[in-house]
Amino acid sequence: MSAKTTHPVTRVILGIVALILIVVFGNLLVSSFGIGHRGLDFTENKVHTLSDGTRSILKELQAPVIIRYYASRSTAYMPEEMKLHMRHVDDLLKEYSTLAGGKLRVQNLDPQPDTDAEDSANLDGISGQRINDENLYFGLAISCLDKTTTLPFLDPRDETMLEYQLSKSVAEVSATRKPVIGVMSAFDLEGAPAMMPGQPPTPGWIIYQQLKQTFEIRNLTMTPESINPKEINAVLLFHPAGISPAAEFAVDQYLLQGGTVIACLDAFSVSAQMVGGGNPMMGGGGVAPTSTLPTLLKTWGVSFESSQVLGDGTYATTLNGNRKGVAVLTLPKEAMPQKEDVITRNLESVTLFLPGAFTKTGGGGVSVNTLIKSSDNAALVDSMKASQLDPSLSTTMQRAGHSYDLVLSLSGSFKSAFPDGKPAEPKPEGEPKPEEKKADSLKEATTPGNVFLIADVDAFYDRFAYSVQNFGGMQMVSPTNGNASLLMNILDQSAGSPYLIGARSRSATRRPFKVIQEMEDKFDKEVGADIAKIREKEKVAIDKLQALQAAKSKLNDPIASSEQEAEIKKLTSEQLKASKEIREKEKGLKSQKDTLTGRITLLNVAGMPIVVTLFAIGLFIVRRGKTRAR
């Protein structure tokens, strides 16, 4: 009995059904294991790859994190740019969820009027944005246990900061305690009670009060025995004037265990004089105007000029009374070379007052990045003359011809600045020095550490960083520059989570078409030059006409002369000719852009099918050759 054969049409139908089932179940399988959000990233700046810092934060989550994702998806009024950005956010959140291994869950909510989703958004403090006469929602609320933080509006223009902001929020809500900052300073940053009855207390620094709102502050004094990196997230050396070798050793050992150090040094501190008054060379209140880290900096491969201050002819600030502060530097975006660094990315300007200057000497064995620098028109000048705004400095200072570093970031595995162990404490003269058994100390890093160096302290003093106004007994404080934000950004990144330093600002996924931009820029320059020439000709002709009109009015002749008529015709002819030339240039540009766009479209549409076809033909030829060989 012969086997029953299946009709060809039936076999085709069964094949199509099987293919559909394979696709459906394959997609379900990929989604269930999360492997659908993994892949190879061949983009130039790895725009689709999460940073190592973000991955570490997600893998070490101890408690579940919930992200409520509010997005007005069902409205027809959402701008196209935001729809595109919404897809990027969707992909990013899916990748976060996958990497967290079940510890991070995303709730997608579409807040429509009079719905539970809208009530939830309002409770989370997300009120929506008025766009196209509609209240549209596009924000995140990140929660863990009893903590919640929000990103109220995901602006497409801030796309490059999204990963950092989201990772920072996840780290904040999942932290079991406030980050702890240890402070070492020659200043009394917290303030002091009144010395005598009837006298006002000494107020604390505003920047210190702001730090207390976000961090737990511990005063390590200027003579700590040791600093435990398990307890202290970051150490802030704020004008460590007269720091002892033993204190430097404590900082050194902390750093070698993976700690983070932020050092604000100064060559000539104006605030040291203002706080105490009196002798400017000792700060009046006993605080020396100069601070440095003599042993540590040398080992880190950095030198600090503290005997003079830095002047800069390009970034000098004009102060009240039209006085030029050569060593009061207002540093714009151009002075911040790390364009995508989260610390300086959103700073418009930073103002430093009589700063010192860092120079990279090398040999530290760690990476050193410049966050803020002077211009090439800079020079080291006399501190006292600079503090007195001596006008002669502008012409007498000897420009170095190169820039100086003002804010540096160092990272890596540091070596100890004290290879022989803790330095011995100095003893009074004549007193015998007892033999001390030195405890074991680290000679090199057990964990990579981080250091941030700032060449000025005055930048964070109340008078130079804030505008303070009193209204009915209430004090209103607002920053006058980006100084406070600079320090807060550094502390947020370094103390908020040990991994936030590894989280970066992402590159934009929407990249400009540079070829077309260059074509348009070239066109603008050419046409702009032509237009300038045409307008110059117009001005000359109009001046001549006005002169003729003036002469005609003197003769009381209402009829235009033949000379005037000729000039008017000439001007009109020139205008028509110029307009025609400009139109022709615009047509030429459009033609070039259309041709280039057509080529790119052809490559996008036909390129991949051609590659696949050629690959299939090549595979067919190889297999056929093998079959014939058999």
Side-chain angles (χ1 to χ4, degrees):
M1 186 176 179
S2 60
K4 186 176 180 180
T5 59
T6 306
H7 193 276
V9 175
T10 305
R11 287 202 299 270
V12 172
I13 293 173
L14 290 175
I16 292 173
V17 171
L19 181 62
I20 293 172
L21 291 174
I22 289 171
V23 171
V24 171
F25 286 109
N27 281 329
L28 290 174
L29 186 64
V30 167
S31 298
S32 63
F33 285 101
I35 59 177
H37 306 302
R38 300 172 185 169
L40 298 176
D41 188 353
F42 294 105
T43 56
E44 180 182 357
N45 296 312
K46 303 297 180 184
V47 297
H48 300 295
T49 302
L50 294 180
S51 66
D52 292 337
T54 293
R55 292 172 180 271
S56 298
I57 290 171
L58 295 175
K59 287 178 181 178
E60 295 195 4
L61 289 177
Q62 299 299 316
V65 173
I66 296 175
I67 298 179
R68 289 179 292 281
Y69 180 16
Y70 297 100
S72 301
R73 299 179 185 273
S74 57
T75 180
Y77 295 96
M78 183 71 75
E80 196 62 35
E81 183 185 23
M82 289 181 63
K83 288 182 181 179
L84 179 62
H85 187 45
M86 195 178 292
R87 289 196 287 271
H88 296 324
V89 176
D90 293 344
D91 293 339
L92 185 67
L93 291 178
K94 288 174 183 176
E95 194 169 359
Y96 268 66
S97 180
T98 299
L99 289 173
K103 288 291 182 67
L104 186 147
R105 184 162 55 92
V106 179
Q107 295 179 349
N108 290 287
L109 301 169
D110 187 351
Q112 295 298 309
D114 302 321
T115 61
D116 292 340
E118 185 182 51
D119 294 338
S120 177
N122 292 330
L123 288 173
D124 280 328
I126 299 177
S127 57
Q129 297 285 321
R130 201 73 184 172
I131 301 174
N132 295 335
D133 294 328
E134 289 286 326
N135 198 36
L136 303 181
Y137 292 82
F138 189 26
L140 302 173
I142 302 96
S143 299
C144 181
L145 301 177
D146 60 342
K147 295 181 183 178
T148 299
T149 186
T150 61
L151 300 177
F153 180 65
L154 305 178
D155 194 330
R157 293 170 296 183
D158 289 335
E159 177 193 2
T160 60
M161 289 292 289
L162 179 59
E163 180 191 338
Y164 177 77
Q165 292 171 341
L166 183 54
S167 298
K168 179 175 178 289
S169 298
V170 171
E172 283 179 357
V173 298
S174 60
T176 56
R177 63 182 176 89
K178 271 187 176 183
V180 180
I181 295 177
V183 176
M184 296 172 60
S185 178
F187 288 122
D188 188 354
L189 299 175
E190 193 172 7
M195 299 295 293
M196 297 179 62
Q199 289 185 344
T202 303
W205 288 41
I206 293 174
I207 189 72
Y208 186 84
Q209 303 303 322
Q210 287 190 333
L211 292 178
K212 287 176 66 176
Q213 295 174 9
T214 308
F215 307 102
E216 179 184 336
I217 306 296
R218 292 189 190 175
N219 183 10
L220 300 178
T221 74
M222 286 295 293
T223 57
E225 283 294 322
S226 63
I227 306 171
N228 188 349
K230 293 182 179 179
E231 296 179 359
I232 306 295
N233 295 89
V235 170
L236 175 61
L237 297 169
F238 197 87
H239 194 54
I243 189 170
S244 67
E248 279 194 280
F249 173 77
V251 174
D252 174 83
Q253 296 296 293
Y254 166 79
L255 178 63
L256 297 184
Q257 297 175 72
T260 296
V261 176
I262 301 99
C264 301
L265 311 178
D266 211 316
F268 192 84
S269 173
V270 180
S271 52
Q273 303 165 40
M274 290 184 170
V275 169
N279 182 3
M281 297 310 295
M282 282 303 294
V287 179
T290 301
S291 58
T292 186
L293 300 172
T295 309
L296 291 174
L297 291 179
K298 184 177 179 181
T299 306
W300 295 343
V302 176
S303 68
F304 180 62
E305 177 56 55
S306 58
S307 61
Q308 295 177 292
V309 297
L310 187 67
D312 193 324
T314 301
Y315 297 142
T317 304
T318 301
L319 303 171
N320 293 336
N322 202 30
R323 296 180 299 169
K324 188 175 183 180
V326 171
V328 179
L329 311 184
T330 298
L331 300 143
K333 278 285 187 186
E334 291 73 22
M336 306 173 193
Q338 307 295 331
K339 301 304 180 185
E340 293 302 324
D341 194 289
V342 295
I343 292 173
T344 57
R345 183 180 181 276
N346 289 328
L347 298 180
E348 292 302 323
S349 68
V350 168
T351 303
L352 303 185
F353 296 81
L354 310 186
F358 294 111
T359 302
K360 303 177 189 126
T361 58
V366 294
S367 65
V368 183
N369 291 317
T370 301
L371 299 182
I372 301 179
K373 64 178 182 177
S374 73
S375 73
D376 293 341
N377 193 24
L380 295 169
V381 299
D382 181 80
S383 303
M384 190 60 69
K385 287 184 177 181
S387 68
Q388 295 169 351
L389 303 180
D390 189 333
S392 67
L393 289 178
S394 298
T395 54
T396 60
M397 67 178 186
Q398 301 295 315
R399 272 76 168 176
H402 62 80
S403 64
Y404 289 87
D405 295 316
L406 295 165
V407 181
L408 288 173
S409 168
L410 292 71
S411 62
S413 296
F414 290 80
K415 294 179 182 179
S416 177
F418 300 89
D420 297 329
K422 183 177 180 179
E425 295 289 342
K427 299 293 181 181
E429 290 185 10
E431 184 176 324
K433 297 181 180 180
E435 292 186 5
E436 295 182 3
K437 184 179 180 181
K438 292 187 178 181
D440 292 337
S441 62
L442 296 174
K443 303 297 185 292
E444 56 186 28
T446 58
T447 305
N450 297 278
V451 173
F452 295 92
L453 299 173
I454 302 175
D456 190 32
V457 171
D458 299 324
F460 311 110
Y461 184 53
D462 298 1
R463 179 173 172 180
F464 301 137
Y466 300 94
S467 172
V468 181
Q469 295 178 324
N470 292 304
F471 295 97
M474 293 185 63
Q475 193 178 65
M476 301 294 291
V477 176
S478 58
T480 55
N481 45 45
N483 297 1
S485 296
L486 170 66
L487 185 58
M488 293 299 291
N489 288 351
I490 291 174
L491 288 169
D492 274 342
Q493 192 186 56
S494 56
S497 165
Y499 302 116
L500 274 177
I501 292 178
R504 57 174 167 78
S505 166
R506 295 170 72 89
S507 296
T509 56
R510 292 163 293 164
R511 301 182 63 188
F513 199 164
K514 290 184 178 179
V515 176
I516 288 182
Q517 278 189 343
E518 289 171 0
M519 289 167 55
E520 291 176 337
D521 184 55
K522 183 180 178 182
F523 169 79
D524 288 339
K525 288 179 180 177
E526 290 177 352
V527 174
D530 290 343
I531 291 173
K533 291 178 182 177
I534 293 165
R535 286 179 177 167
E536 184 61 31
K537 290 179 181 179
E538 286 179 340
K539 185 177 182 302
V540 172
I542 290 171
D543 289 343
K544 288 182 179 180
L545 280 172
Q546 288 176 345
L548 291 171
Q549 289 287 356
K552 179 175 69 67
S553 62
K554 288 181 180 179
L555 298 173
N556 295 321
D557 186 3
I559 302 174
S561 67
S562 59
E563 187 178 358
Q564 289 175 316
E565 291 289 350
E567 199 66 44
I568 292 171
K569 288 181 180 180
K570 181 181 177 183
L571 174 60
T572 305
S573 175
E574 287 179 356
Q575 289 177 325
L576 291 174
K577 182 181 178 182
S579 299
K580 184 178 180 181
E581 288 177 358
I582 293 172
R583 285 197 303 272
E584 291 298 324
K585 288 180 179 293
E586 287 177 339
K587 288 179 182 178
L589 175 66
K590 186 176 184 302
S591 176
Q592 292 178 46
K593 288 169 63 176
D594 290 344
T595 302
L596 184 59
T597 304
R599 289 175 183 171
I600 293 170
T601 304
L602 181 62
L603 286 173
N604 287 335
V605 173
M608 186 54 68
I610 290 172
V611 171
V612 172
T613 302
L614 291 174
F615 177 78
I617 292 172
L619 186 63
F620 171 75
I621 293 172
V622 171
R623 287 185 174 179
R624 186 164 183 175
K626 289 182 179 180
T627 303
R628 286 181 175 179
R630 291 175 185 173

